[in-house]
Amino acid sequence: MKLLINEDPIPLLPSLAMKVGLNAALFLQQLHYRLNISKNIREGHKWVFNTYDDWMEEFPFWSLNTIKRITYDLEQKGYLISTSKHNKMKIDNTKWYRIDYEKLPFSYTPNEITADPKPDTPPAQHETSINSQLDAVQTHTGTTAYPTMGRPITKELKKNNNKTIVEKNLDVAHSVIQYLNDKTGKHFKAESAATRKFINGRIKEGYTQEDFIRVIDLKTKQWLNLREFNAFLRPSTLFNATNFENYVNELIVAREPEKELYIPPVLDFNSGEGLI
């Protein structure tokens, strides 16, 4: 099996790797690419939300513990900002990530360079080590320009990325609809454009296949044997944006344990041990 350049290569600036470490540089480079195409904007910044399993698909050559260690180290150094406060449900701990470009060794923005060259700095103050040689690139005019972060790790085109997402969502749709049909005895089709629209819409909002399954379980338990409600066990009702959110929150309320009603003991003074 050949392992030399039969796959897309990994373009990476040595200067960034020398500043933050190889693994950290790889992670930042891929996150930088994801941020450039992200549609998730919160608080004036683009974000990428990923589970650790999602990151393992991005970096199949790393273990789960390695990814956790890399993200933790980047967070501690201030290069990586992560939060779960943008999730719709408090029980969802999926992290949202963005890069603090101002704290990187070079001052980046997602699409352009913001660091101004400093031609007035005396030559004697420049380091002559390999680090400084890699940090800056001499242009033909003699000025110093700082490198951008380069291309993404995976040389995937946007259409290929969209194709992967569509295929993944279709797999979820097949599983969800099959489960709904098994529970209700009905015959909905996962290939239906309307059904896929409802399911894809909820996936984009951050819901998972498990959320669909739990909602189906909840509503079939409530409606399956009721003639007036049985007809509503259908994708257009269950997976409608407003309905689905209400059903998920209904599940959260249902999980809360009910407080037991305190019943005081009845004291019987007419019987007992030791009576004469």
Side-chain angles (χ1 to χ4, degrees), residues 21 28 97-98 115 203 264 269:
L28 288 173
Y97 299 87
R98 71 177 178 89
I203 292 175
F269 294 100

Side-chain angles (χ1 to χ4, degrees), residues 231-242:
F232 296 110
L233 291 172
R234 58 192 181 194
S236 60
T237 299
L238 297 177
F239 310 143
N240 172 279
T242 302

Side-chain angles (χ1 to χ4, degrees), residues 162-178:
N162 289 341
K163 180 180 177 182
T164 301
I165 293 174
V166 169
E167 291 175 348
K168 184 177 181 180
N169 289 358
L170 187 57
D171 289 341
V172 172
H174 276 290
S175 299
V176 168
I177 296 304
Q178 182 62 51

Side-chain angles (χ1 to χ4, degrees), residues 4-274:
L4 295 176
I5 316 300
N6 280 343
E7 303 174 17
D8 292 331
I10 302 178
L12 184 68
L13 289 176
S15 50
L16 181 63
M18 294 182 71
K19 287 293 186 181
V20 301
L22 179 59
N23 286 353
L26 289 173
F27 185 90
L28 288 173
Q29 175 63 70
Q30 188 69 349
L31 177 56
H32 171 68
Y33 167 63
R34 293 296 177 199
L35 287 170
N36 277 335
I37 63 175
S38 174
K39 303 294 185 181
N40 302 305
I41 300 177
R42 301 289 189 277
E43 300 174 344
H45 298 281
K46 286 187 175 183
W47 297 80
V48 171
F49 64 93
N50 262 354
T51 63
Y52 286 122
D53 287 338
D54 292 330
W55 284 127
M56 289 183 70
E57 290 185 11
E58 299 268 354
F59 303 105
F61 44 83
W62 284 339
S63 67
L64 175 61
N65 288 335
T66 298
I67 293 175
K68 287 183 176 180
R69 184 172 64 252
I70 292 170
T71 55
Y72 177 79
D73 289 343
L74 287 172
E75 289 169 347
Q76 294 302 303
K77 292 175 180 176
Y79 302 147
L80 180 67
I81 298 175
S82 64
T83 182
S84 58
K85 69 179 182 180
H86 299 313
N87 293 319
K88 291 182 177 294
M89 297 180 291
K90 292 183 178 180
I91 60 173
D92 187 355
N93 294 320
T94 304
K95 280 190 174 184
W96 295 57
Y97 299 87
R98 71 177 178 89
I99 296 172
D100 190 340
Y101 290 94
E102 294 181 355
K103 292 187 178 180
L104 286 180
F106 313 115
S107 184
Y108 297 106
T109 61
N111 296 312
E112 61 183 6
I113 305 170
T114 60
D116 295 327
K118 301 178 180 179
D120 296 334
T121 304
Q125 295 183 11
H126 288 290
E127 297 178 353
T128 57
S129 66
I130 189 171
N131 284 16
S132 61
Q133 294 174 30
L134 288 171
D135 288 347
V137 178
Q138 287 297 121
T139 66
H140 67 281
T141 60
T143 59
T144 303
Y146 292 86
T148 60
M149 291 191 71
R151 296 180 297 169
I153 285 178
T154 52
K155 192 184 175 183
E156 59 195 305
L157 298 175
K158 189 174 182 180
K159 63 179 182 180
N160 290 337
N161 185 45
N162 289 341
K163 180 180 177 182
T164 301
I165 293 174
V166 169
E167 291 175 348
K168 184 177 181 180
N169 289 358
L170 187 57
D171 289 341
V172 172
H174 276 290
S175 299
V176 168
I177 296 304
Q178 182 62 51
Y179 188 78
L180 177 61
N181 289 338
D182 291 343
K183 294 285 287 189
T184 62
K186 300 182 180 183
H187 303 282
F188 296 109
K189 294 183 178 180
E191 295 82 3
S192 166
T195 297
R196 288 170 58 185
K197 180 180 178 181
F198 284 116
I199 293 178
N200 291 344
R202 306 296 75 76
I203 292 175
K204 288 180 180 179
E205 293 172 350
Y207 294 106
T208 65
Q209 180 174 322
E210 289 70 25
D211 294 321
F212 287 97
I213 298 302
R214 286 195 287 265
V215 166
I216 292 172
D217 285 340
L218 173 69
K219 304 320 286 186
T220 52
K221 182 178 180 181
Q222 295 174 346
W223 295 347
L224 186 61
N225 297 318
L226 299 176
R227 180 178 299 178
E228 63 271 29
F229 290 105
N230 185 283
F232 296 110
L233 291 172
R234 58 192 181 194
S236 60
T237 299
L238 297 177
F239 310 143
N240 172 279
T242 302
N243 292 347
F244 195 80
E245 184 178 14
N246 290 336
Y247 299 153
V248 170
N249 281 282
E250 187 178 343
L251 280 165
I252 296 173
V253 173
R255 289 196 198 101
E256 295 181 356
E258 297 182 1
K259 294 183 179 179
E260 295 184 2
L261 181 64
Y262 175 72
I263 302 177
V266 177
L267 302 178
D268 185 357
F269 294 100
N270 296 320
S271 62
E273 295 181 356

